[in-house]
Amino acid sequence: MDALYTAVATATHGREGRAVTSDGTLDLGLSAPVELGGNGQGTNPEQLFAAGYAACFGSALGVVGRAAKVDVSDAAVTAEVVLGKQGEGFALAVTLRVELPEGIEEETGRKLVEQAHQVCPYSNATRGNIPVDLVIE
């Protein structure tokens, strides 16, 4: 792989700490969600993963849309990241809900979303590791 960019972030004190990027543009308090016994007053790793995956997938959709000469600039991607128990540990599952702009035919939209799933770095990183469901709305 030819590296194009490297993001660096440091988290301290786990789910009850802080996450900061090396350039300081992200500096967030972390807390476990209420569902996991936390106070829910900060963000958590699943929310950060969901935001990153949604943004990355939206960019990948733009790349494949431009190549196909289909305007998907108004598309919205919502990532739902589920944390659950699996054996002795924990696991993730993702649903990506893609809302395409009006006027895009269903078959065209499905092909673009599937192509974006092949291009997106998050999709490539998770493929075969966690279930990812694609839903076109």
Side-chain angles (χ1 to χ4, degrees):
M1 174 178 78
D2 292 328
L4 301 173
Y5 169 74
T6 300
V8 178
T10 301
T12 55
H13 304 289
R15 290 182 177 273
E16 299 297 331
R18 185 154 220 84
V20 181
T21 56
S22 59
D23 63 2
T25 59
L26 181 121
D27 186 345
L28 297 171
L30 303 172
S31 66
V34 173
E35 296 84 350
L36 297 179
N39 66 19
Q41 297 195 3
T43 193
N44 60 65
E46 293 73 34
Q47 290 172 325
L48 294 169
F49 187 74
Y53 203 161
C56 190
F57 196 89
S59 291
L61 185 60
V63 167
V64 299
R66 283 188 295 281
K69 298 188 181 351
V70 178
D71 184 7
V72 292
S73 59
D74 288 336
V77 179
T78 300
E80 299 171 1
V81 175
V82 175
L83 172 69
K85 277 289 272 174
Q86 182 174 334
E88 296 295 316
F90 299 91
L92 299 175
V94 175
T95 299
L96 294 175
R97 298 187 183 280
V98 182
E99 185 178 334
L100 295 170
E102 288 187 33
I104 296 178
E105 294 179 14
E106 183 178 338
E107 180 69 14
T108 300
R110 184 184 57 76
K111 286 181 181 178
L112 290 174
V113 168
E114 289 174 358
Q115 288 173 347
H117 193 43
Q118 296 305 308
V119 170
C120 177
Y122 276 67
S123 293
N124 288 330
T126 59
R127 188 170 290 108
N129 297 309
I130 66 172
V132 176
D133 292 323
L134 302 174
V135 178
I136 301 171
E137 301 182 325

